[in-house]
Amino acid sequence: MSLDYVIVRSHGLLQHLLKRGDYEQLITGDKKICDFIEYSQVREEYPLERKLSMITERFISRIKFLQRISDEKMVNFYQAFLDFLELENIKFKLRHIYGRYDRERYHPYSHFIDLEVLKRIKKEKNLIEILAGTPYEMNEEVSKRLGSILEKEAYLEALYYRYFRGTINQYKSLRILSKYINYEVIRRLTYWVIVLGEKKAKELLRNNVLDGLLPYGVMRKFNIGKNNIDIKLLLEFFKLDEEGLRLIRGKKISGLMKLIRVKELNMLKEGARNMSLTIIYVYYYMQLCKEEMYNLHKILLGKEIGLPEDVILDAIIISL
């Protein structure tokens, strides 16, 4: 079907997403998740893991619907967008191999790699082997030079974003998204510069390990590149200079990443409103669907471990 049809449908579908009041009622217990039509099958008596999986499946079905009603030239774009779930599964497995998690938690999703095969992997060597031939294929020599699990996770992310951004070049109407995808890329680059440290991040960029996390196209004028990366420059892009540095000094990285994500979504919202009859509006809806999934995961997990209601509310992102 035509892109115009997909855009019109996205305008209607966005109205079905949860609002602030819905989240507040869920957090306070005034409503259960099954009280919302979109999640009526997620019964209260189900185990937590099953509820989390059903929420993820609802997100997947929303993006798959867009994929079904779109021009076949756009199929790869929607698939690559969903593949961040597979990337997260790979990172879950890598952390488990390194002993970071006692319990493995996977998204009910696979594309290039069979999920059951991934679950059975016990060694990093075997993980690298099954990534061969996929967008996440880790160059064996590069992988050996990476000294920590964090560096390997950053490498995997860079490979994913190189793959995802490549799909927008397959269809002319998608190229307008480059600017907005760059916002997400710069957010992730900011995270890794903080976590790895500027020196290590610059080294990895010079060696082309993280080139998938560099902005391109219209964002080049901001002068972010492998030879010009520092945390102040990245924070300045999001207009969080002083506040961002204060949060870093206070080791409140999660809080900073939330602020940057809010800024990113607000930039996308503005673009969607100004160009509401373009693919930008569809992409805005897709990102809100993703955020709704994460929000519901945080709420259920927070309630499960007994976090105070205000803490749970502060953890979620509401962009509608």
Side-chain angles (χ1 to χ4, degrees):
M1 297 185 186
S2 72
L3 178 57
D4 290 342
Y5 177 74
V6 180
I7 293 167
V8 170
R9 289 302 304 266
S10 295
H11 277 264
L13 291 168
L14 188 141
Q15 305 309 313
H16 295 283
L17 298 179
L18 300 181
K19 312 295 191 299
R20 173 175 287 275
D22 298 323
Y23 287 124
E24 290 175 344
Q25 288 182 308
L26 185 57
I27 291 170
T28 60
D30 292 335
K31 279 192 174 182
K32 299 178 177 63
I33 191 166
C34 59
D35 293 329
F36 301 103
I37 294 175
E38 296 288 312
Y39 300 97
S40 60
Q41 302 301 313
V42 187
R43 309 307 302 177
E44 191 67 16
E45 63 271 18
Y46 288 165
L48 175 64
E49 297 298 331
R50 183 176 179 184
K51 288 191 279 191
L52 294 176
S53 289
M54 292 178 76
I55 290 166
T56 303
E57 287 166 353
R58 183 70 190 105
F59 162 70
I60 294 169
S61 70
R62 283 169 162 167
I63 306 304
K64 288 286 189 182
F65 174 74
L66 295 176
Q67 189 179 43
R68 286 197 303 274
I69 66 173
S70 294
D71 187 296
E72 63 179 13
K73 294 178 182 177
M74 296 177 65
V75 167
N76 290 340
F77 164 70
Y78 293 112
Q79 191 70 62
F81 178 78
L82 279 176
D83 284 345
F84 83 90
L85 294 170
E86 187 162 63
L87 169 70
E88 290 195 348
N89 283 343
I90 295 167
K91 292 198 294 184
F92 291 156
K93 170 54 70 175
L94 187 62
R95 292 170 193 163
H96 185 70
I97 290 172
Y98 273 75
R100 295 293 182 93
Y101 290 147
D102 292 329
R103 185 176 184 181
E104 296 178 83
R105 175 176 286 140
Y106 297 96
H107 296 301
Y109 178 85
S110 62
H111 177 206
F112 294 103
I113 302 165
D114 185 282
L115 183 55
E116 294 307 311
V117 172
L118 181 65
K119 288 179 179 179
R120 291 195 295 269
I121 294 292
K122 301 297 182 184
K123 298 179 179 180
E124 184 178 351
K125 176 184 176 182
N126 301 126
L127 177 62
I128 292 175
E129 287 174 355
I130 68 165
L131 297 180
T134 76
Y136 331 106
E137 181 173 356
M138 300 173 73
N139 180 286
E140 190 171 353
E141 291 305 312
V142 172
S143 183
K144 286 178 180 178
R145 293 200 304 268
L146 299 179
S148 72
I149 182 177
L150 291 175
E151 293 172 31
K152 292 175 183 180
E153 284 193 38
Y155 181 31
L156 284 166
E157 272 198 24
L159 292 172
Y160 166 75
Y161 280 110
R162 182 194 299 166
Y163 152 62
F164 176 49
R165 292 194 298 187
T167 64
I168 70 171
N169 294 321
Q170 298 173 11
Y171 193 58
K172 185 176 180 180
S173 296
L174 290 173
R175 293 173 192 165
I176 195 173
L177 293 178
S178 293
K179 172 182 176 181
Y180 302 98
I181 294 173
N182 274 335
Y183 293 154
E184 180 173 355
V185 168
I186 295 174
R187 171 171 57 86
R188 295 309 301 163
L189 177 60
T190 302
Y191 173 78
W192 288 115
V193 170
I194 294 171
V195 171
L196 297 174
E198 287 185 16
K199 182 178 179 180
K200 176 55 70 173
K202 288 178 179 178
E203 176 191 323
L204 295 176
L205 285 165
R206 284 195 301 271
N207 293 328
N208 299 320
V209 176
L210 300 185
D211 56 348
L213 292 177
L214 286 173
Y216 66 93
V218 294
M219 305 305 329
R220 287 291 187 191
K221 65 183 181 182
F222 197 73
N223 203 27
I224 296 175
K226 67 175 63 180
N227 296 316
N228 190 34
I229 287 291
D230 65 69
I231 194 59
K232 289 183 180 180
L233 178 66
L234 295 167
L235 293 174
E236 182 185 340
F237 174 79
F238 291 105
K239 299 179 180 178
L240 286 170
D241 315 39
E242 295 301 320
E243 187 174 8
L245 290 173
R246 178 178 57 80
L247 289 168
I248 292 172
R249 285 193 294 266
K251 298 183 178 181
K252 297 180 179 179
I253 309 305
S254 295
L256 174 59
M257 288 300 106
K258 178 187 173 183
L259 278 180
I260 293 178
R261 175 62 168 163
V262 170
K263 290 268 188 180
E264 174 194 336
L265 288 173
N266 285 341
M267 291 172 182
L268 181 54
K269 180 192 289 187
E270 182 180 356
R273 286 177 173 174
N274 292 337
M275 292 179 278
S276 60
L277 297 180
T278 69
I279 188 65
I280 295 172
Y281 197 94
V282 180
Y283 190 60
Y284 176 52
Y285 166 69
M286 291 163 65
Q287 287 288 350
L288 292 182
C289 288
K290 178 196 269 191
E291 211 56 53
E292 181 170 294
M293 176 191 72
Y294 281 137
N295 284 343
L296 292 174
H297 282 189
K298 290 173 185 175
I299 290 171
L300 294 191
L301 287 165
K303 290 172 73 70
E304 178 76 9
I305 63 177
L307 289 179
E309 293 174 3
D310 60 325
V311 173
I312 298 175
L313 184 61
D314 186 58
I316 67 175
I317 294 174
I318 305 170
S319 189
L320 275 178

